[in-house]
């Protein structure tokens, strides 16, 4: 289908590399420094203020970004216990 998948988190590069190696993911993990992308996309969980260890945590979701780099669809749900289905 020509779709490429990536994960994104605010965790350190070292933690990302360890997780990626252990989980043997078939896609890259990207670091969102200071929650810049999460904030720009408007998906940050606002329950955690700056300075809190969970600051920058996004609502779980899926973004569809077109080949032109434009966000075509965004689906994020409050909380973290329920994750949106990929389909």
């Amino acid at each position: 289908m020509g779709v490429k998948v990536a994960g994104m988190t605010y965790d350190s590069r070292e933690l990302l590399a360890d997780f990626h190696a252990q989980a043997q993911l078939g896609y890259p993990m990207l670091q969102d420094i200071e929650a810049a992308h999460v904030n720009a996309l408007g998906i940050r969980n606002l329950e955690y203020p700056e300075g809190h260890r969970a600051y920058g945590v996004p609502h779980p979701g899926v973004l569809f970004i077109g080949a032109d780099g434009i966000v075509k669809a965004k689906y994020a749900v409050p909380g973290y216990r329920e994750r949106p289905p990929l389909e």
Side-chain angles (χ1 to χ4, degrees):
M1 292 177 54
V3 175
K4 296 182 181 174
V5 174
M8 183 170 52
T9 179
Y10 64 91
D11 295 313
S12 70
R13 287 185 184 183
E14 294 79 18
L15 189 63
L16 282 172
D18 289 345
F19 174 76
H20 195 269
Q22 289 178 353
Q24 298 181 345
L25 299 177
Y27 54 87
M29 290 293 296
L30 309 174
Q31 183 187 26
D32 187 15
I33 298 171
E34 297 180 4
H37 294 88
V38 165
N39 288 329
L41 293 164
I43 58 173
R44 183 169 56 87
N45 185 335
L46 299 176
E47 291 181 34
Y48 306 106
E50 194 167 354
H52 189 282
R53 71 175 190 85
Y55 174 79
V57 169
H59 293 294
V62 177
L63 297 173
F64 179 73
I65 303 170
D68 57 2
I70 304 294
V71 175
K72 305 293 184 183
K74 174 176 70 171
Y75 179 70
V77 295
Y80 64 91
R81 295 184 194 280
E82 305 259 340
R83 303 292 174 143
L86 286 177
E87 57 275 354

Coordinates of all heavy atoms in Angstrom, one line a residue:
M1 N 0.8 -1.2 0.0 CA 0.0 0.0 0.0 C 0.9 1.3 0.0 O 0.3 2.3 -0.1 CB -0.9 0.0 1.2 CG -2.0 -1.1 1.1 SD -3.1 -1.2 2.6 CE -3.7 0.4 2.7
G2 N 2.2 1.1 0.2 CA 3.0 2.3 0.2 C 3.0 3.1 1.4 O 3.5 4.2 1.4
V3 N 2.5 2.6 2.5 CA 2.4 3.3 3.8 C 3.6 3.0 4.6 O 4.1 1.9 4.7 CB 1.1 2.9 4.6 CG1 1.1 3.5 5.9 CG2 -0.1 3.2 3.8
K4 N 4.2 4.0 5.2 CA 5.4 3.9 6.1 C 4.9 4.2 7.5 O 4.1 5.2 7.7 CB 6.5 4.8 5.6 CG 7.0 4.4 4.3 CD 8.2 5.2 3.9 CE 8.6 4.8 2.5 NZ 9.6 5.6 1.9
V5 N 5.4 3.5 8.5 CA 5.0 3.7 9.9 C 6.2 4.1 10.7 O 7.3 3.6 10.5 CB 4.4 2.3 10.4 CG1 4.1 2.4 11.9 CG2 3.2 1.9 9.6
A6 N 5.9 5.0 11.7 CA 6.9 5.4 12.6 C 6.2 5.6 14.0 O 5.1 6.0 14.0 CB 7.7 6.6 12.2
G7 N 6.9 5.5 15.0 CA 6.5 5.8 16.4 C 7.2 7.0 16.8 O 8.3 7.4 16.4
M8 N 6.6 7.8 17.8 CA 7.2 9.0 18.3 C 6.9 9.1 19.8 O 5.8 8.8 20.2 CB 6.6 10.2 17.6 CG 7.3 11.5 18.0 SD 6.9 13.0 17.0 CE 5.1 13.0 17.0
T9 N 8.0 9.5 20.5 CA 7.9 9.6 22.0 C 8.9 10.7 22.4 O 9.8 11.1 21.7 CB 8.2 8.3 22.7 OG1 8.1 8.5 24.1 CG2 9.5 7.7 22.4
Y10 N 8.6 11.2 23.6 CA 9.5 12.2 24.2 C 10.7 11.6 24.9 O 11.6 12.3 25.4 CB 8.7 13.1 25.1 CG 8.2 12.4 26.4 CD1 8.9 12.3 27.5 CD2 6.9 11.8 26.3 CE1 8.4 11.7 28.6 CE2 6.4 11.2 27.4 CZ 7.1 11.1 28.6 OH 6.6 10.5 29.7
D11 N 10.8 10.2 25.0 CA 11.8 9.6 25.7 C 13.2 9.9 25.1 O 13.3 10.2 24.0 CB 11.6 8.0 25.7 CG 10.3 7.7 26.5 OD1 10.2 8.2 27.6 OD2 9.5 6.9 26.0
S12 N 14.3 9.6 25.9 CA 15.6 9.9 25.5 C 16.0 8.9 24.3 O 15.4 7.8 24.2 CB 16.6 9.7 26.6 OG 16.7 8.3 26.9
R13 N 17.0 9.3 23.6 CA 17.4 8.5 22.4 C 17.9 7.1 23.0 O 17.8 6.1 22.3 CB 18.5 9.2 21.7 CG 18.0 10.3 20.8 CD 19.1 10.9 20.0 NE 18.5 12.0 19.3 CZ 19.2 12.7 18.4 NH1 20.4 12.4 18.1 NH2 18.6 13.7 17.8
E14 N 18.6 7.1 24.1 CA 19.1 5.9 24.7 C 18.0 4.9 25.0 O 18.0 3.8 24.7 CB 20.0 6.2 25.9 CG 21.2 7.0 25.7 CD 21.0 8.5 25.5 OE1 19.9 9.0 25.9 OE2 21.9 9.1 24.9
L15 N 16.9 5.5 25.7 CA 15.8 4.6 26.0 C 15.1 4.1 24.8 O 14.7 3.0 24.7 CB 14.8 5.4 26.9 CG 13.7 4.7 27.5 CD1 14.2 3.6 28.4 CD2 12.7 5.6 28.2
L16 N 15.0 5.0 23.8 CA 14.4 4.6 22.5 C 15.2 3.5 21.8 O 14.6 2.5 21.3 CB 14.3 5.8 21.5 CG 13.2 6.8 21.8 CD1 13.4 8.0 20.9 CD2 11.8 6.2 21.6
A17 N 16.5 3.6 21.8 CA 17.3 2.6 21.2 C 17.2 1.3 21.9 O 17.1 0.2 21.2 CB 18.8 3.1 21.2
D18 N 17.2 1.3 23.2 CA 17.0 0.1 24.0 C 15.7 -0.6 23.7 O 15.6 -1.8 23.5 CB 17.2 0.3 25.5 CG 18.6 0.7 25.9 OD1 19.6 0.4 25.1 OD2 18.8 1.2 27.0
F19 N 14.6 0.2 23.8 CA 13.3 -0.3 23.6 C 13.2 -0.9 22.1 O 12.6 -2.0 21.9 CB 12.2 0.7 23.8 CG 10.8 0.3 23.4 CD1 10.1 -0.5 24.3 CD2 10.2 0.7 22.2 CE1 8.9 -1.0 23.9 CE2 9.0 0.3 21.9 CZ 8.3 -0.6 22.8
H20 N 13.7 -0.2 21.2 CA 13.6 -0.6 19.8 C 14.3 -1.9 19.6 O 13.8 -2.8 18.9 CB 14.2 0.5 18.9 CG 13.9 0.3 17.4 ND1 14.7 -0.4 16.6 CD2 12.8 0.7 16.7 CE1 14.1 -0.4 15.4 NE2 13.0 0.3 15.4
A21 N 15.5 -2.1 20.2 CA 16.3 -3.3 20.1 C 15.5 -4.5 20.8 O 15.5 -5.6 20.2 CB 17.6 -3.1 20.7
Q22 N 15.0 -4.2 21.9 CA 14.3 -5.3 22.7 C 13.0 -5.7 22.0 O 12.7 -6.9 21.9 CB 14.0 -4.9 24.1 CG 15.3 -4.8 25.0 CD 15.0 -4.4 26.4 OE1 13.9 -3.9 26.7 NE2 16.0 -4.4 27.2
A23 N 12.2 -4.7 21.5 CA 10.9 -5.0 21.0 C 11.0 -5.5 19.5 O 10.1 -6.0 19.0 CB 10.0 -3.8 21.0
Q24 N 12.2 -5.3 18.9 CA 12.4 -5.7 17.5 C 11.3 -5.2 16.6 O 10.6 -5.9 15.8 CB 12.5 -7.2 17.4 CG 13.7 -7.8 18.1 CD 13.9 -9.3 18.0 OE1 13.0 -10.0 17.6 NE2 15.0 -9.8 18.3
L25 N 11.1 -3.9 16.7 CA 10.1 -3.2 15.9 C 10.5 -3.2 14.4 O 11.6 -3.2 14.1 CB 9.9 -1.7 16.4 CG 9.5 -1.5 17.8 CD1 9.4 -0.1 18.1 CD2 8.1 -2.2 18.1
G26 N 9.5 -3.2 13.6 CA 9.7 -3.2 12.2 C 9.6 -1.7 11.6 O 9.5 -1.6 10.4
Y27 N 9.7 -0.8 12.5 CA 9.6 0.6 12.1 C 10.4 1.5 13.0 O 10.7 1.1 14.1 CB 8.1 1.1 12.1 CG 7.4 0.9 13.4 CD1 7.4 1.8 14.4 CD2 6.7 -0.3 13.7 CE1 6.8 1.6 15.6 CE2 6.0 -0.5 14.9 CZ 6.1 0.5 15.9 OH 5.5 0.3 17.0
P28 N 10.8 2.7 12.6 CA 11.6 3.6 13.4 C 10.8 4.2 14.5 O 9.6 4.4 14.4 CB 12.1 4.6 12.4 CG 11.1 4.7 11.3 CD 10.5 3.3 11.2
M29 N 11.6 4.6 15.6 CA 11.0 5.3 16.7 C 11.7 6.7 16.6 O 12.9 6.8 16.5 CB 11.3 4.7 18.0 CG 10.5 3.4 18.3 SD 8.8 3.7 18.5 CE 8.7 4.7 19.9
L30 N 10.9 7.8 16.7 CA 11.4 9.1 16.6 C 11.3 9.8 18.0 O 10.4 9.6 18.7 CB 10.6 9.9 15.6 CG 10.5 9.2 14.2 CD1 9.5 10.0 13.3 CD2 11.8 9.1 13.6
Q31 N 12.3 10.7 18.3 CA 12.3 11.4 19.5 C 11.6 12.8 19.3 O 12.1 13.6 18.4 CB 13.7 11.6 20.1 CG 13.7 12.3 21.4 CD 15.1 12.6 21.9 OE1 16.0 12.7 21.1 NE2 15.3 12.7 23.2
D32 N 10.7 13.1 20.1 CA 10.0 14.5 20.1 C 10.6 15.3 21.2 O 10.0 15.3 22.3 CB 8.5 14.3 20.2 CG 7.7 15.6 19.9 OD1 8.3 16.5 19.4 OD2 6.6 15.6 20.3
I33 N 11.6 16.0 20.9 CA 12.3 16.8 21.9 C 11.4 17.9 22.4 O 10.8 18.7 21.6 CB 13.6 17.4 21.4 CG1 14.6 16.2 21.0 CG2 14.3 18.3 22.4 CD1 15.8 16.6 20.3
E34 N 11.2 18.0 23.8 CA 10.4 19.0 24.4 C 9.0 19.1 23.9 O 8.3 20.1 24.0 CB 11.1 20.4 24.3 CG 12.4 20.5 25.0 CD 13.1 21.8 25.0 OE1 12.5 22.8 24.4 OE2 14.2 21.9 25.4
A35 N 8.5 17.9 23.4 CA 7.1 17.8 23.0 C 6.7 18.8 21.9 O 5.6 19.2 21.7 CB 6.1 17.9 24.1
A36 N 7.7 19.2 21.1 CA 7.5 20.2 20.0 C 6.4 19.7 19.0 O 5.5 20.5 18.7 CB 8.8 20.5 19.3
H37 N 6.5 18.5 18.6 CA 5.5 18.0 17.6 C 4.2 17.7 18.2 O 3.1 18.0 17.6 CB 6.0 16.7 16.9 CG 7.2 17.0 16.1 ND1 8.5 17.0 16.5 CD2 7.3 17.3 14.7 CE1 9.3 17.3 15.6 NE2 8.7 17.5 14.5
V38 N 4.2 17.2 19.4 CA 2.9 16.9 20.2 C 2.2 18.2 20.4 O 1.0 18.3 20.2 CB 3.2 16.2 21.5 CG1 2.0 16.2 22.4 CG2 3.7 14.8 21.2
N39 N 2.9 19.3 20.8 CA 2.2 20.6 21.0 C 1.7 21.2 19.7 O 0.6 21.7 19.6 CB 3.2 21.5 21.7 CG 3.4 21.2 23.1 OD1 2.5 20.7 23.8 ND2 4.6 21.5 23.6
A40 N 2.6 21.1 18.6 CA 2.2 21.6 17.3 C 0.9 20.9 16.7 O 0.1 21.6 16.1 CB 3.3 21.5 16.3
L41 N 0.8 19.6 17.0 CA -0.3 18.9 16.5 C -1.5 19.0 17.4 O -2.6 18.5 17.1 CB 0.1 17.4 16.4 CG 1.1 17.1 15.3 CD1 1.7 15.8 15.4 CD2 0.5 17.3 13.9
G42 N -1.4 19.6 18.6 CA -2.5 19.8 19.5 C -3.0 18.5 20.2 O -4.2 18.3 20.5
I43 N -2.1 17.5 20.4 CA -2.5 16.2 21.0 C -1.8 16.0 22.4 O -1.9 14.9 22.9 CB -2.2 15.1 20.0 CG1 -0.7 15.0 19.7 CG2 -3.0 15.2 18.8 CD1 -0.3 13.8 18.9
R44 N -1.2 17.0 23.0 CA -0.6 16.8 24.3 C -1.7 16.6 25.4 O -2.7 17.3 25.4 CB 0.3 18.0 24.6 CG 1.1 17.8 26.0 CD 2.2 18.8 26.2 NE 1.7 20.1 26.2 CZ 1.2 20.8 27.2 NH1 1.1 20.3 28.4 NH2 0.9 22.1 27.0
N45 N -1.4 15.7 26.3 CA -2.3 15.5 27.4 C -2.0 16.6 28.4 O -0.9 16.7 29.0 CB -2.0 14.1 28.0 CG -3.0 13.8 29.2 OD1 -3.5 14.7 29.8 ND2 -3.1 12.5 29.4
L46 N -3.0 17.5 28.6 CA -2.8 18.7 29.4 C -2.9 18.4 30.9 O -2.7 19.3 31.7 CB -3.8 19.8 29.0 CG -3.7 20.2 27.5 CD1 -4.8 21.2 27.2 CD2 -2.3 20.8 27.2
E47 N -3.1 17.2 31.3 CA -3.1 16.8 32.7 C -1.8 17.0 33.4 O -1.7 17.1 34.6 CB -3.6 15.4 32.9 CG -5.0 15.1 32.6 CD -5.4 13.7 32.8 OE1 -4.9 13.1 33.7 OE2 -6.2 13.2 32.0
Y48 N -0.7 17.0 32.6 CA 0.7 17.0 33.2 C 1.3 18.4 32.8 O 1.6 18.6 31.7 CB 1.5 15.9 32.6 CG 0.8 14.5 32.8 CD1 0.2 13.9 31.7 CD2 0.8 13.9 34.1 CE1 -0.4 12.6 31.9 CE2 0.2 12.7 34.3 CZ -0.4 12.1 33.2 OH -1.0 10.9 33.4
P49 N 1.6 19.2 33.9 CA 2.2 20.5 33.6 C 3.7 20.4 33.3 O 4.3 19.3 33.6 CB 2.0 21.2 35.0 CG 2.0 20.1 36.0 CD 1.3 19.0 35.3
E50 N 4.3 21.4 32.7 CA 5.7 21.4 32.4 C 6.5 21.2 33.7 O 6.1 21.7 34.8 CB 6.1 22.8 31.8 CG 7.4 22.8 31.2 CD 7.7 24.0 30.3 OE1 6.8 24.8 30.1 OE2 8.8 24.1 29.9
G51 N 7.5 20.4 33.7 CA 8.2 20.0 34.9 C 7.8 18.7 35.4 O 8.6 18.0 36.1
H52 N 6.6 18.2 35.1 CA 6.2 16.9 35.6 C 6.9 15.9 34.7 O 7.1 16.1 33.5 CB 4.7 16.8 35.4 CG 4.1 15.5 36.0 ND1 4.1 14.3 35.4 CD2 3.4 15.3 37.1 CE1 3.5 13.4 36.1 NE2 3.1 14.0 37.2
R53 N 7.2 14.7 35.2 CA 7.9 13.7 34.4 C 7.1 13.2 33.2 O 7.7 12.7 32.2 CB 8.3 12.5 35.3 CG 7.2 11.6 35.7 CD 7.8 10.4 36.5 NE 6.8 9.4 36.7 CZ 6.4 8.5 35.8 NH1 7.0 8.4 34.7 NH2 5.4 7.6 36.1
A54 N 5.8 13.4 33.2 CA 5.0 12.9 32.1 C 4.6 14.1 31.2 O 3.9 13.9 30.2 CB 3.7 12.3 32.6
Y55 N 5.2 15.3 31.4 CA 4.9 16.4 30.5 C 5.3 16.0 29.1 O 6.4 15.5 28.9 CB 5.7 17.7 30.9 CG 5.5 18.8 29.9 CD1 4.4 19.6 30.0 CD2 6.5 19.1 29.0 CE1 4.2 20.6 29.1 CE2 6.4 20.1 28.1 CZ 5.2 20.9 28.1 OH 5.1 21.9 27.2
G56 N 4.5 16.3 28.1 CA 4.8 16.0 26.8 C 4.1 14.7 26.3 O 4.2 14.4 25.1
V57 N 3.4 14.0 27.2 CA 2.7 12.8 26.8 C 1.6 13.1 26.0 O 0.7 14.0 26.3 CB 2.2 12.0 28.1 CG1 1.3 10.9 27.7 CG2 3.4 11.5 28.9
P58 N 1.5 12.5 24.8 CA 0.3 12.8 23.9 C -0.8 11.9 24.3 O -0.7 10.9 24.9 CB 0.9 12.5 22.5 CG 1.8 11.4 22.8 CD 2.5 11.7 24.1
H59 N -2.0 12.3 23.8 CA -3.1 11.4 23.8 C -2.8 10.3 22.8 O -2.2 10.6 21.7 CB -4.4 12.1 23.4 CG -4.8 13.0 24.4 ND1 -5.2 12.7 25.7 CD2 -5.0 14.4 24.4 CE1 -5.6 13.8 26.4 NE2 -5.4 14.8 25.6
P60 N -3.1 9.0 23.0 CA -2.8 8.0 22.0 C -3.5 8.3 20.7 O -4.7 8.7 20.8 CB -3.3 6.7 22.7 CG -3.5 7.0 24.1 CD -3.7 8.5 24.2
G61 N -2.8 8.0 19.7 CA -3.5 8.3 18.4 C -2.7 7.9 17.2 O -1.7 7.3 17.3
V62 N -3.3 8.2 16.1 CA -2.7 7.9 14.8 C -2.8 9.1 13.9 O -3.8 9.9 13.9 CB -3.5 6.8 14.1 CG1 -3.0 6.5 12.7 CG2 -3.5 5.5 15.0
L63 N -1.7 9.4 13.2 CA -1.6 10.5 12.2 C -1.4 9.9 10.9 O -0.6 9.0 10.7 CB -0.5 11.5 12.5 CG -0.5 12.2 13.8 CD1 0.8 13.0 13.9 CD2 -1.6 13.2 13.8
F64 N -2.1 10.5 9.9 CA -1.8 10.1 8.5 C -1.2 11.3 7.8 O -1.9 12.3 7.7 CB -3.1 9.6 7.8 CG -2.8 9.2 6.3 CD1 -2.2 8.1 6.0 CD2 -3.2 10.1 5.3 CE1 -1.9 7.7 4.7 CE2 -2.9 9.7 4.0 CZ -2.3 8.6 3.7
I65 N 0.1 11.2 7.4 CA 0.8 12.3 6.8 C 1.0 11.9 5.3 O 1.6 10.9 5.0 CB 2.1 12.6 7.5 CG1 1.8 12.9 9.0 CG2 2.8 13.7 6.8 CD1 3.1 12.9 9.8
G66 N 0.5 12.8 4.4 CA 0.7 12.5 3.0 C 2.1 12.7 2.6 O 3.0 13.2 3.3
A67 N 2.4 12.2 1.3 CA 3.7 12.3 0.8 C 4.2 13.7 0.7 O 5.4 14.0 0.6 CB 3.7 11.6 -0.6
D68 N 3.3 14.7 0.7 CA 3.6 16.1 0.6 C 4.0 16.7 2.0 O 4.3 17.9 2.1 CB 2.5 16.9 0.0 CG 1.2 16.8 0.7 OD1 1.1 16.1 1.8 OD2 0.2 17.3 0.3
G69 N 3.9 15.8 3.0 CA 4.3 16.3 4.4 C 3.1 16.9 5.1 O 3.3 17.4 6.3
I70 N 1.9 17.0 4.6 CA 0.8 17.6 5.2 C 0.0 16.5 5.9 O -0.2 15.4 5.5 CB -0.2 18.2 4.1 CG1 0.6 19.2 3.3 CG2 -1.4 18.8 4.7 CD1 1.1 20.4 4.0
V71 N -0.5 16.9 7.2 CA -1.3 16.0 8.0 C -2.7 15.9 7.3 O -3.4 16.9 7.2 CB -1.4 16.4 9.4 CG1 -2.4 15.6 10.2 CG2 -0.1 16.5 10.1
K72 N -3.0 14.7 6.8 CA -4.3 14.5 6.1 C -5.4 14.1 7.1 O -6.5 14.3 6.9 CB -4.1 13.4 5.1 CG -3.0 13.7 4.1 CD -3.3 14.9 3.2 CE -2.2 15.1 2.2 NZ -2.4 16.2 1.4
A73 N -5.0 13.4 8.2 CA -6.0 12.9 9.2 C -5.3 12.8 10.5 O -4.1 12.4 10.6 CB -6.6 11.6 8.8
K74 N -6.0 13.1 11.6 CA -5.5 13.0 12.9 C -6.6 12.4 13.8 O -7.7 12.9 13.8 CB -5.1 14.4 13.4 CG -4.7 14.5 14.9 CD -4.2 15.8 15.3 CE -5.4 16.8 15.4 NZ -5.0 18.1 15.9
Y75 N -6.2 11.4 14.5 CA -7.2 10.7 15.4 C -6.5 10.5 16.8 O -5.5 9.7 16.8 CB -7.7 9.4 14.9 CG -8.6 8.7 15.8 CD1 -9.9 9.2 16.0 CD2 -8.3 7.5 16.4 CE1 -10.8 8.5 16.8 CE2 -9.2 6.8 17.2 CZ -10.4 7.3 17.4 OH -11.3 6.6 18.2
A76 N -6.9 11.2 17.8 CA -6.3 11.0 19.1 C -7.4 11.0 20.1 O -8.4 11.7 20.0 CB -5.3 12.2 19.4
V77 N -7.2 10.1 21.1 CA -8.2 9.9 22.1 C -7.7 10.2 23.5 O -6.5 9.9 23.8 CB -8.8 8.4 22.1 CG1 -9.5 8.2 20.8 CG2 -7.7 7.4 22.3
P78 N -8.5 10.9 24.4 CA -8.0 11.2 25.7 C -7.7 9.9 26.5 O -8.3 8.9 26.3 CB -9.2 11.9 26.3 CG -10.0 12.4 25.2 CD -9.8 11.4 24.1
G79 N -6.8 10.1 27.4 CA -6.4 8.9 28.3 C -5.3 8.1 27.6 O -4.8 8.4 26.6
Y80 N -5.0 7.0 28.3 CA -3.9 6.2 27.8 C -4.3 4.7 27.8 O -3.6 3.8 27.2 CB -2.6 6.4 28.5 CG -2.7 6.0 30.0 CD1 -2.3 4.7 30.4 CD2 -3.1 6.9 30.9 CE1 -2.4 4.4 31.7 CE2 -3.1 6.6 32.2 CZ -2.8 5.3 32.6 OH -2.8 4.9 34.0
R81 N -5.3 4.4 28.5 CA -5.7 3.0 28.7 C -6.4 2.4 27.5 O -6.2 1.2 27.1 CB -6.6 2.8 29.9 CG -6.0 3.1 31.2 CD -6.9 2.9 32.4 NE -6.5 3.4 33.6 CZ -5.5 2.9 34.4 NH1 -4.9 1.8 34.0 NH2 -5.1 3.5 35.5
E82 N -7.1 3.2 26.7 CA -7.7 2.8 25.5 C -7.0 3.3 24.3 O -6.7 4.5 24.2 CB -9.2 3.3 25.4 CG -10.0 2.9 26.7 CD -10.9 1.8 26.4 OE1 -11.2 1.5 25.2 OE2 -11.4 1.2 27.3
R83 N -6.5 2.5 23.4 CA -5.8 2.9 22.2 C -6.7 2.8 21.0 O -7.5 1.9 20.9 CB -4.5 2.0 22.1 CG -3.6 2.0 23.2 CD -3.0 3.3 23.4 NE -2.2 3.3 24.6 CZ -1.0 4.0 24.8 NH1 -0.5 4.6 23.7 NH2 -0.4 4.0 25.9
P84 N -6.6 3.7 20.1 CA -7.4 3.7 18.9 C -7.0 2.5 18.0 O -5.8 2.2 18.0 CB -7.1 5.0 18.2 CG -5.8 5.5 18.7 CD -5.7 4.9 20.1
P85 N -7.9 1.8 17.4 CA -7.6 0.7 16.5 C -6.9 1.2 15.3 O -7.2 2.3 14.8 CB -8.9 0.0 16.2 CG -9.9 1.1 16.4 CD -9.4 2.0 17.5
L86 N -5.9 0.5 14.8 CA -5.2 0.9 13.6 C -6.0 0.9 12.4 O -5.8 1.7 11.5 CB -3.9 0.1 13.4 CG -2.8 0.3 14.3 CD1 -1.6 -0.6 14.1 CD2 -2.3 1.8 14.2
E87 N -7.0 0.0 12.3 CA -7.8 0.0 11.1 C -8.7 1.2 11.0 O -9.1 1.7 10.0 CB -8.7 -1.3 11.0 CG -9.6 -1.6 12.2 CD -8.9 -2.3 13.3 OE1 -7.8 -2.7 13.2 OE2 -9.6 -2.4 14.3

